[in-house]
Amino acid sequence: MRTSDYISLEKQYLAPNYNPLDVVIEKGEGAWVWDVEGKKYLDFLAAYSALNQGYCHPRVLNAMIEQAKKVTLTSRAFRNDKLPLLGEKLCNLLGYEMMLPMNSGAEAVETALKAARKWGYTKKGVAPGKARIIAMENNFHGRTISIVSFSTEDDYRDGFGPFTDGFDIIPYGDFEALEKAITPDTVAVLLEPIQGESGIIVPKDGFLKKVRNLCTANKMLFIADEIQSGLGRTGKLLAVDWEEVKPDMVCLGKALGAGFYPVSAVVGSREVLTVFKPGEHGSTFGGNPLAAAVALAALDVLIDEKLVERALELGAHAMNRLEPLKSNPLVKEIRGRGLWIGIELVPEAGGARKYCQALMEKGVLAKDTHHHTIRLAPPLVISKEDLNWGLDQILAVLK
Ligand SMILES: *Cc1c(COP(=O)(O)O)cnc(C)c1O
């Protein structure tokens, strides 16, 4: 079968909720993938940062195979011998007391929202049914009905109402608006420390610190969604580390499974995460031993291969090399942190998609985001040589 055969099958049988580039991948290794025609591409998306450790990392692969031979699912009706080790490793690494495991990122966000509401009722004294949570414009936190209830993107919402109540939305990074939005019933502020899907938007220096202090002063929980920004992408373990702030809860996902398996989690304090009593929240697959074994190996790779430091170093290098683009009439702005760079094009460029198409022809896979931004987020294991080659292609395409 050839590329066009797979595409026509997909068009016939798959719900059209995505519009992928026309490349059919059959193999991946490190930062590279091969399509069914045998053509090789350098990946500059890393599955939205789920592949920080690169494709099919041998150490994670081995952990997965070994665990799959023993036991893969127990349900949490019983205990397993891997989940407690993941709890210990993740909490110690990030400096939190407890974790709650789920599968997808959206489930981790839902978990944090449920924890915040219950905390509001049981610890803050908010009247039943009144808890409110503040979220930010242009957020991306996933696709459930409750999560799209506080999205500001029409595509994510149109036709999916009625929506979940209890959310207030303010412009991202607008501290005065945040102060004004607080009510006595506000239990939490939810934000991405850097907004990924809306185009790698970095808030003003000091914003996260001010949010932290405001939350403490008003007895509200600070929830950071680090599903895309976390685990090394920005050149720090967590993006909130750039301002040395500690949220009350952090949502993790994507790279926690190293591209092998969906693993997500919420980490937080004992005070917050013990609001859940047995039976009040859960997931059949959440915390299964296969997921835990994969996540343990994913974290080991991140630390042992110094991927966080690599992201910082290679990110700074990439930013330098892209410097000449700043005077390119097609380019409005280049921004980012670590190996997470958005090249926003001017509206007259006619959208980022056609440049991603041209990049694909040159052997680089990147994805447009928010119509006008080319997102560069290669696996953190990428070599400097490969990164340079990929950047050469980008510079050529934008010429
Ligand atoms: C990808 C993402 C999610 C959702 O994760 P899924 O695994 O797709 O449910 C939530 N928040 C952020 C910031 C993300 O980038």
Side-chain angles (χ1 to χ4, degrees), residues 1 3-14:
M1 280 172 50
T3 297
S4 55
D5 302 318
Y6 291 102
I7 291 173
S8 55
L9 267 186
E10 183 163 328
K11 286 199 166 141
Q12 186 175 352
Y13 290 108
L14 273 293

Side-chain angles (χ1 to χ4, degrees), residues 21-291:
L21 292 177
D22 284 337
V23 53
V24 180
I25 295 168
E26 70 168 12
K27 192 174 86 144
E29 191 184 316
W32 293 88
V33 294
W34 286 259
D35 73 5
V36 291
E37 316 284 338
K39 188 174 172 199
K40 186 180 170 187
Y41 303 84
L42 187 62
D43 177 24
F44 263 32
L45 178 64
Y48 307 93
S49 295
L51 284 160
N52 284 359
Q53 297 88 344
Y55 288 86
C56 297
H57 194 290
R59 194 162 162 194
V60 187
L61 175 65
N62 190 52
M64 183 160 178
I65 289 171
E66 289 310 310
Q67 187 59 42
K69 288 182 194 164
K70 290 169 82 181
V71 63
T72 55
L73 179 65
T74 55
S75 86
R76 292 195 63 195
F78 314 126
R79 300 179 196 271
N80 73 67
D81 70 347
K82 289 293 174 304
L83 181 57
L85 306 184
L86 177 60
E88 180 187 38
K89 182 166 293 220
L90 193 60
C91 287
N92 286 340
L93 188 63
L94 300 178
Y96 284 90
E97 291 172 335
M98 287 191 149
M99 70 97 96
L100 195 157
M102 298 295 281
N103 312 284
S104 68
E107 288 174 308
V109 172
E110 289 271 351
T111 298
L113 298 175
K114 285 172 85 173
R117 282 181 169 187
K118 195 145 196 131
W119 174 86
Y121 299 128
T122 58
K123 308 269 166 104
K124 179 166 172 165
V126 173
K130 295 289 183 208
R132 304 199 66 80
I133 293 172
I134 298 172
M136 310 276 149
E137 277 174 13
N138 300 319
N139 67 72
F140 183 82
H141 298 289
R143 302 290 197 162
T144 65
I145 286 178
S146 285
I147 290 173
V148 300
S149 296
F150 53 87
S151 171
T152 55
E153 183 72 31
D154 289 341
D155 283 352
Y156 301 167
R157 289 169 54 91
D158 278 356
F160 299 130
F163 295 112
T164 306
D165 225 346
F167 297 99
D168 298 301
I169 299 164
I170 61 142
Y172 185 65
D174 185 340
F175 185 71
E176 274 91 71
L178 177 58
E179 281 182 304
K180 281 204 197 105
I182 296 173
T183 74
D185 294 330
T186 305
V187 296
V189 176
L190 168 67
L191 58 78
E192 301 152 86
I194 292 177
Q195 287 189 328
E197 289 316 294
S198 80
I200 331 268
I201 310 293
V202 184
K204 262 206 237 76
D205 273 348
F207 177 66
L208 300 175
K209 209 165 240 163
K210 288 199 315 206
V211 172
R212 172 66 280 177
N213 293 338
L214 191 69
C215 285
T216 306
N218 290 276
K219 203 167 180 353
M220 308 182 298
L221 300 177
F222 178 5
I223 308 170
D225 179 347
E226 294 255 16
I227 290 164
Q228 194 166 159
S229 59
L231 302 181
R233 175 53 59 187
T234 69
K236 302 268 185 193
L237 194 52
L238 297 178
V240 290
D241 295 344
W242 279 99
E243 292 196 21
E244 292 173 341
V245 301
K246 190 173 173 194
D248 297 288
M249 280 186 272
V250 176
C251 301
L252 298 162
K254 295 201 165 109
L256 190 55
F260 279 89
Y261 198 86
V263 193
S264 70
V266 175
V267 294
S269 65
R270 183 175 308 280
E271 184 204 325
V272 172
L273 287 183
T274 54
V275 298
F276 292 119
K277 301 293 178 254
E280 292 179 351
H281 184 56
S283 159
T284 304
F285 282 88
N288 73 70
L290 187 61

